[in-house]
Amino acid sequence: LILLFYLIFYGFLAGLFALTMWVMLQSVDPHVPKYQDRLATPGMMIRPRTEGLDVTFNVTKSQTWSHYVRALHQFLEPYNDSVQAARNAACVPGRYNEQPDDSVPNYPKRACRFNRSLLGPCAGLAPADDYGYGVGQPCVLLKVNRVINFFPGKNKSINVICAAKVTPVSPPVSPPVFPMFPPAPRTPGSLSPQVNYTQPVVAVQFTNATANMEHHIECRLNAAGLRTDDERDKFAGRVAFRLRINRD
């Protein structure tokens, strides 16, 4: 009788737990958090992911940059043109893509396409492509973090600007050139995640960075209403990293 009592008792508790979980999941959107803080400016980060935002390698020693290439290949796989065409929608360039949900919970939506081929020489489409690391002209990708219902720039695309920072320790002898892909406007307006959403990225290629010295680079979002000068958060709308290209 005791075993039967506990069997019924714990069975009831398990059923009650399953019922409450089911009720909760009916009110939760799998793509949009139920409760969220409003961010004034999204954060930025670079790829390949590095320790301390430090991109350092030796051109003549492939083992020092091969892991960067593998990381970029892995990161860009969801951006393949064929994957984007199958999963996402072709949106009007330079405008926000708003999709009504018709007051239906979990209404299916399609994100805008961001094709890998837009990144030009930094797309890494060839199997042996090394993103310029093998010739000392590396590509670094700039990624903007996702923000729900974020509409900056007054319905205009967000621009990204990069510049070399002069520091007392290592002032640049020859400021590196920053060819950027895709050309301006460089990022679609929508940063709101949806199904199969892939964040818009900007590729920066350093084509003439002086070898065997440190370059301090800072990239910022440029759009109406975005603040990127808040010293309390150095990743709000901007990211600073160090680049050093060594040659034997």
Side-chain angles (χ1 to χ4, degrees), residues 29-194:
D29 191 312
H31 309 294
V32 179
K34 192 173 184 65
Y35 300 104
Q36 52 188 297
D37 294 329
R38 174 62 57 204
L39 296 177
T41 304
M44 286 187 70
M45 189 48 65
I46 66 169
R47 292 293 184 271
R49 190 193 302 271
T50 63
E51 185 69 28
L53 299 177
D54 182 6
V55 181
T56 301
F57 64 97
N58 191 311
V59 175
T60 57
K61 298 178 181 179
S62 61
Q63 67 272 20
T64 63
W65 49 261
S66 59
H67 60 291
Y68 294 150
V69 174
R70 288 194 300 270
L72 288 174
H73 274 312
Q74 183 178 6
F75 176 76
L76 288 175
E77 280 182 4
Y79 293 85
N80 288 338
D81 291 17
S82 58
V83 176
Q84 291 291 310
R87 295 180 176 179
N88 297 331
C91 301
V92 178
R95 296 192 62 84
Y96 296 121
N97 180 47
E98 298 184 64
Q99 302 179 63
D101 55 13
D102 297 327
S103 300
V104 178
N106 302 331
Y107 186 84
K109 300 180 181 181
R110 302 192 77 194
C112 294
R113 295 176 189 171
F114 188 89
N115 293 329
R116 185 173 179 175
S117 56
L118 293 173
L119 300 179
C122 294
L125 293 174
D129 199 326
D130 58 11
Y131 300 93
Y133 284 83
V135 293
Q137 298 182 357
C139 292
V140 175
L141 303 183
L142 306 173
K143 178 181 72 72
V144 182
N145 292 344
R146 310 179 186 193
V147 180
I148 304 296
N149 295 325
F150 180 64
F151 301 100
K154 299 180 180 179
N155 208 24
K156 296 181 180 179
S157 295
I158 306 172
N159 235 9
V160 178
I161 54 176
C162 294
K165 293 182 64 177
V166 178
T167 65
V169 178
S170 56
V173 176
S174 175
V177 173
F178 306 123
M180 303 178 74
F181 308 93
R186 297 190 180 96
T187 63
S190 176
L191 295 175
S192 298
Q194 295 150 356

